[in-house]
mmCIF file of all heavy atoms in Angstrom:
data_model
loop_
_atom_site.group_PDB
_atom_site.id
_atom_site.type_symbol
_atom_site.label_atom_id
_atom_site.label_comp_id
_atom_site.label_asym_id
_atom_site.label_seq_id
_atom_site.Cartn_x
_atom_site.Cartn_y
_atom_site.Cartn_z
ATOM 1 N N ALA A 1257 15.954 -34.448 322.308
ATOM 2 C CA ALA A 1257 17.402 -34.309 322.507
ATOM 3 C C ALA A 1257 18.149 -35.413 321.757
ATOM 4 O O ALA A 1257 17.670 -36.537 321.635
ATOM 5 C CB ALA A 1257 17.723 -34.405 323.998
ATOM 6 N N ARG A 1258 19.298 -35.073 321.232
ATOM 7 C CA ARG A 1258 20.139 -36.062 320.560
ATOM 8 C C ARG A 1258 20.966 -36.790 321.609
ATOM 9 O O ARG A 1258 21.520 -36.185 322.520
ATOM 10 C CB ARG A 1258 21.072 -35.380 319.563
ATOM 11 C CG ARG A 1258 20.342 -34.788 318.367
ATOM 12 C CD ARG A 1258 21.326 -34.071 317.471
ATOM 13 N NE ARG A 1258 22.273 -34.996 316.862
ATOM 14 C CZ ARG A 1258 22.061 -35.634 315.727
ATOM 15 N NH1 ARG A 1258 20.919 -35.459 315.087
ATOM 16 N NH2 ARG A 1258 22.961 -36.449 315.211
ATOM 17 N N LEU A 1259 21.035 -38.098 321.476
ATOM 18 C CA LEU A 1259 21.810 -38.892 322.420
ATOM 19 C C LEU A 1259 23.297 -38.602 322.282
ATOM 20 O O LEU A 1259 23.833 -38.552 321.171
ATOM 21 C CB LEU A 1259 21.579 -40.387 322.179
ATOM 22 C CG LEU A 1259 20.298 -40.987 322.748
ATOM 23 C CD1 LEU A 1259 20.146 -42.415 322.249
ATOM 24 C CD2 LEU A 1259 20.305 -40.948 324.250
ATOM 25 N N VAL A 1260 23.955 -38.427 323.416
ATOM 26 C CA VAL A 1260 25.410 -38.276 323.422
ATOM 27 C C VAL A 1260 26.053 -39.626 323.097
ATOM 28 O O VAL A 1260 26.981 -39.723 322.300
ATOM 29 C CB VAL A 1260 25.900 -37.764 324.793
ATOM 30 C CG1 VAL A 1260 27.424 -37.692 324.829
ATOM 31 C CG2 VAL A 1260 25.292 -36.404 325.094
ATOM 32 N N ASP A 1261 25.532 -40.676 323.734
ATOM 33 C CA ASP A 1261 25.987 -42.054 323.493
ATOM 34 C C ASP A 1261 24.751 -42.937 323.432
ATOM 35 O O ASP A 1261 23.738 -42.643 324.063
ATOM 36 C CB ASP A 1261 26.900 -42.536 324.626
ATOM 37 C CG ASP A 1261 28.221 -41.794 324.638
ATOM 38 O OD1 ASP A 1261 28.933 -41.847 323.625
ATOM 39 O OD2 ASP A 1261 28.541 -41.174 325.666
ATOM 40 N N PRO A 1262 24.799 -44.047 322.686
ATOM 41 C CA PRO A 1262 23.643 -44.949 322.640
ATOM 42 C C PRO A 1262 23.348 -45.544 324.014
ATOM 43 O O PRO A 1262 24.254 -45.709 324.837
ATOM 44 C CB PRO A 1262 24.062 -46.020 321.632
ATOM 45 C CG PRO A 1262 25.547 -45.927 321.524
ATOM 46 C CD PRO A 1262 25.912 -44.515 321.830
ATOM 47 N N LEU A 1263 22.078 -45.862 324.244
ATOM 48 C CA LEU A 1263 21.684 -46.468 325.520
ATOM 49 C C LEU A 1263 21.963 -47.963 325.496
ATOM 50 O O LEU A 1263 21.817 -48.618 324.474
ATOM 51 C CB LEU A 1263 20.194 -46.231 325.770
ATOM 52 C CG LEU A 1263 19.701 -44.781 325.801
ATOM 53 C CD1 LEU A 1263 18.218 -44.752 326.142
ATOM 54 C CD2 LEU A 1263 20.496 -43.947 326.790
ATOM 55 N N THR A 1264 22.335 -48.477 326.668
ATOM 56 C CA THR A 1264 22.500 -49.919 326.789
ATOM 57 C C THR A 1264 21.124 -50.565 326.909
ATOM 58 O O THR A 1264 20.115 -49.879 327.132
ATOM 59 C CB THR A 1264 23.326 -50.281 328.030
ATOM 60 O OG1 THR A 1264 22.572 -49.896 329.205
ATOM 61 C CG2 THR A 1264 24.667 -49.555 328.030
ATOM 62 N N GLU A 1265 21.075 -51.875 326.776
ATOM 63 C CA GLU A 1265 19.800 -52.594 326.899
ATOM 64 C C GLU A 1265 19.165 -52.335 328.262
ATOM 65 O O GLU A 1265 17.965 -52.102 328.370
ATOM 66 C CB GLU A 1265 20.028 -54.091 326.693
ATOM 67 C CG GLU A 1265 18.735 -54.904 326.729
ATOM 68 C CD GLU A 1265 18.962 -56.393 326.499
ATOM 69 O OE1 GLU A 1265 20.112 -56.782 326.176
ATOM 70 O OE2 GLU A 1265 17.992 -57.151 326.630
ATOM 71 N N ARG A 1266 19.983 -52.387 329.313
ATOM 72 C CA ARG A 1266 19.458 -52.160 330.666
ATOM 73 C C ARG A 1266 18.978 -50.724 330.836
ATOM 74 O O ARG A 1266 17.933 -50.480 331.468
ATOM 75 C CB ARG A 1266 20.525 -52.482 331.719
ATOM 76 C CG ARG A 1266 20.046 -52.247 333.152
ATOM 77 C CD ARG A 1266 18.911 -53.186 333.538
ATOM 78 N NE ARG A 1266 19.401 -54.457 334.015
ATOM 79 C CZ ARG A 1266 18.675 -55.558 334.115
ATOM 80 N NH1 ARG A 1266 17.404 -55.538 333.736
ATOM 81 N NH2 ARG A 1266 19.193 -56.683 334.562
ATOM 82 N N GLU A 1267 19.703 -49.776 330.259
ATOM 83 C CA GLU A 1267 19.275 -48.384 330.349
ATOM 84 C C GLU A 1267 17.936 -48.175 329.653
ATOM 85 O O GLU A 1267 17.080 -47.423 330.135
ATOM 86 C CB GLU A 1267 20.335 -47.457 329.759
ATOM 87 C CG GLU A 1267 21.551 -47.274 330.660
ATOM 88 C CD GLU A 1267 22.717 -46.574 329.963
ATOM 89 O OE1 GLU A 1267 22.671 -46.405 328.729
ATOM 90 O OE2 GLU A 1267 23.670 -46.217 330.670
ATOM 91 N N GLU A 1268 17.736 -48.864 328.531
ATOM 92 C CA GLU A 1268 16.442 -48.791 327.838
ATOM 93 C C GLU A 1268 15.320 -49.311 328.748
ATOM 94 O O GLU A 1268 14.228 -48.739 328.804
ATOM 95 C CB GLU A 1268 16.481 -49.604 326.540
ATOM 96 C CG GLU A 1268 17.336 -49.010 325.437
ATOM 97 C CD GLU A 1268 16.644 -47.903 324.658
ATOM 98 O OE1 GLU A 1268 15.505 -47.536 325.014
ATOM 99 O OE2 GLU A 1268 17.248 -47.400 323.691
ATOM 100 N N GLN A 1269 15.605 -50.399 329.466
ATOM 101 C CA GLN A 1269 14.597 -50.987 330.364
ATOM 102 C C GLN A 1269 14.283 -50.030 331.521
ATOM 103 O O GLN A 1269 13.115 -49.821 331.873
ATOM 104 C CB GLN A 1269 15.110 -52.328 330.906
ATOM 105 C CG GLN A 1269 15.235 -53.410 329.842
ATOM 106 C CD GLN A 1269 15.982 -54.632 330.347
ATOM 107 O OE1 GLN A 1269 16.765 -54.562 331.300
ATOM 108 N NE2 GLN A 1269 15.754 -55.774 329.704
#
Side-chain angles (χ1 to χ4, degrees):
R1258 291 177 66 88
L1259 280 172
V1260 176
D1261 292 301
L1263 302 183
T1264 65
E1265 183 179 353
R1266 179 65 85 197
E1267 285 169 349
E1268 289 279 4
Q1269 293 169 337

